[in-house]
Amino acid sequence: MFNILSPRGLPIYATFFLWSFGTGANQLARPLFAASFGVPLALVALVTSSNSLSHLLAGPVTGYAMDRWGRKPLLIVGLVLRGATLILEFYATSYPQYLALEFIGGVGVAVWSTGASILIADLSLRENRGRALAVRSLASKLGAIAGPMVGAAITVAFDLRGIFLFNGVSKVVILAIVLWMIAETRPEAAVQPGHPKHGLALDLLAAMFVNRPFLAIAGATFAISMMQQGLFAAIFPVYATQSVGLSTSDVGGLITLAATLSLLISLPNGVIVDLFGRKSTLVPGLAVLGVAAYLLAISGDHGSVLAMVVVYGLGEGICLGASQAYAMDLAPEDRRGSFLGVWSLLQNVGGITAPLTIGLVAEQLGYMTAFAGVAVAMLGVAVVIWAFAPDTAARRRPRIEAGAA
């Protein structure tokens, strides 16, 4: 049983906090530093998109490599790569330099984030995976809340470049923890080089995409990304300021409120997921997100937007842990890295395509149509999972094996 209060557990969760702590500060610096070179807004946004592209390319490769060579070597590579690019960003003197460094550093971020999910999957059991993921979420979100405040203080005391050094130092501390306090977690079944199921083979991919539980979690993963990264992160701030008339500070407060509610619900949700199964909260959570999208479609003032944000924050906190636990439950032990690497690809595809799709629909047909469409999609995925997807917390949970249809 994975005990988060054990000497084995605390260092792992400390790395999750520290990663989000440094990255949270960097979220403030990234757009402002890009804009300081006098480039158009589209090129400022391109810096963030380059990170998404890095994740899209590196996630599946990371999973395969971790099955073949182990978890720790790849985690170390990711940390060194991201830390080195942050130090170089401190000395960047042009936009092309900064963009290139962010793309390369994004590969390091992708290696770490994919590897962190694989690490939790290795160490947790079906009986406690929901709680393990909930504590990971708690540690990460605390760091994400504290990071921007520290970043703002560094900017006032020094300048934006100081944030890159701060983030780089956080990666150095994490590297020390990984080197000396975290052991290799690759399962014994994945260690043998001659194992017939070793690595990312076409038979595993074929088995994944004809497997009903995997298709269900793929749909849920894309839907959550559509709501989280597409509607709330990319479109909501613009809609709230331009159509509802809220100030930038109002929108910032609402985003913080949503994050806080998601943080508070994550721990009890993890307990429920472990006790009653993944679908017990995944299906209601998807439905709650659908209701949030509908509330945004009919919103028109501060009160109605506030109601939507409250519902969204609760739905996000419910869905994230349950969907992650479901995916980890499905992963074959001997190729867990390869499986979760492909699953991360679906997350990133949703994060890239959803903002563009929702934005295009909103531009052509209006915000109400776009938000209502998201609501229908969320509710539809909830019904499909409720009706057709087995619960991975059942006694004979479904798992994906190569050659199984």
Side-chain angles (χ1 to χ4, degrees):
M1 197 74 159
F2 181 48
N3 186 351
I4 63 172
L5 299 179
S6 68
R8 190 185 188 191
L10 287 175
I12 294 171
Y13 287 108
T15 64
F16 296 151
F17 171 80
L18 289 169
W19 182 276
S20 295
F21 190 40
T23 301
N26 207 68
Q27 295 291 351
L28 175 68
R30 182 184 289 122
L32 296 177
F33 189 69
S36 70
F37 293 110
V39 298
L41 183 60
L43 292 183
V44 174
L46 182 61
V47 174
T48 301
S49 297
S50 72
N51 272 226
S52 299
L53 180 59
S54 299
H55 281 66
L56 190 68
L57 298 174
V61 176
T62 297
Y64 168 80
M66 285 192 164
D67 279 345
R68 191 166 185 84
W69 293 295
R71 301 351 183 186
K72 279 189 68 170
L74 270 296
L75 289 174
I76 291 168
V77 168
L79 286 164
V80 170
L81 186 60
R82 185 51 178 154
T85 55
L86 286 166
I87 301 302
L88 291 174
E89 284 174 9
F90 179 82
Y91 296 101
T93 57
S94 68
Y95 174 82
Q97 288 179 359
Y98 182 58
L99 178 63
L101 289 169
E102 274 294 290
F103 176 78
I104 297 169
V107 174
V109 174
V111 171
W112 170 264
S113 59
T114 304
S117 294
I118 296 170
L119 189 68
I120 287 292
D122 286 342
L123 292 171
S124 61
L125 303 173
R126 174 171 59 96
E127 293 78 10
N128 70 341
R129 185 161 287 146
R131 283 165 287 176
L133 287 166
V135 178
R136 173 193 174 181
S137 176
L138 176 65
S140 298
K141 288 179 179 177
L142 286 174
I145 291 172
M149 294 187 290
V150 174
I154 291 173
T155 302
V156 171
F158 303 99
D159 58 18
L160 286 172
R161 294 175 186 269
I163 295 179
F164 300 143
L165 292 181
F166 170 76
N167 195 8
V169 169
S170 74
K171 304 308 180 266
V172 172
V173 176
I174 296 171
L175 178 61
I177 294 173
V178 171
L179 284 171
W180 290 296
M181 301 181 71
I182 298 178
E184 176 60 60
T185 64
R186 182 172 52 158
E188 192 65 29
V191 172
Q192 303 302 324
H195 195 287
K197 296 181 178 180
H198 185 74
L200 180 59
L202 293 178
D203 58 346
L204 176 62
L205 286 174
M208 290 170 68
F209 285 98
V210 297
N211 182 274
R212 189 174 68 183
F214 178 77
L215 293 176
I217 195 59
T221 299
F222 187 87
I224 294 169
S225 294
M226 176 174 61
M227 185 68 184
Q228 183 185 41
Q229 301 178 50
L231 191 150
F232 194 73
I235 307 300
F236 169 72
V238 179
Y239 168 76
T241 54
Q242 294 184 357
S243 297
V244 181
L246 301 184
S247 66
T248 303
S249 60
D250 287 337
V251 174
L254 290 172
I255 292 174
T256 301
L257 173 62
T260 303
L261 291 171
S262 179
L263 176 71
L264 294 175
I265 199 68
S266 60
L267 282 178
N269 180 69
V271 175
I272 295 172
V273 163
D274 284 340
L275 291 177
F276 301 104
R278 315 319 186 198
K279 287 174 62 175
S280 65
T281 63
L282 179 57
V283 172
L286 289 167
V288 168
L289 288 179
V291 171
Y294 172 74
L295 290 175
L296 190 60
I298 62 173
S299 64
D301 54 27
H302 189 282
S304 57
V305 171
L306 175 62
M308 173 270 173
V309 168
V310 170
V311 174
Y312 169 79
L314 296 174
E316 183 200 55
I318 292 170
C319 278
L320 286 179
S323 63
Q324 291 169 359
Y326 196 112
M328 291 178 184
D329 290 344
L330 290 177
E333 183 181 17
D334 58 346
R335 283 190 287 182
R336 184 176 284 145
S338 299
F339 181 96
L340 294 177
V342 174
W343 177 64
S344 74
L345 177 68
L346 298 173
Q347 292 179 297
N348 292 314
V349 168
I352 293 172
T353 60
L356 297 175
T357 303
I358 297 172
L360 181 62
V361 173
E363 189 174 90
Q364 298 297 320
L365 302 176
Y367 283 115
M368 181 176 291
T369 301
F371 298 157
V374 173
V376 171
M378 300 300 301
L379 294 172
V381 171
V383 170
V384 168
I385 291 179
W386 171 75
F388 299 107
D391 200 317
T392 56
R395 176 172 293 182
R396 296 189 63 185
R397 56 178 175 150
R399 297 186 70 169
I400 295 178
E401 303 292 345

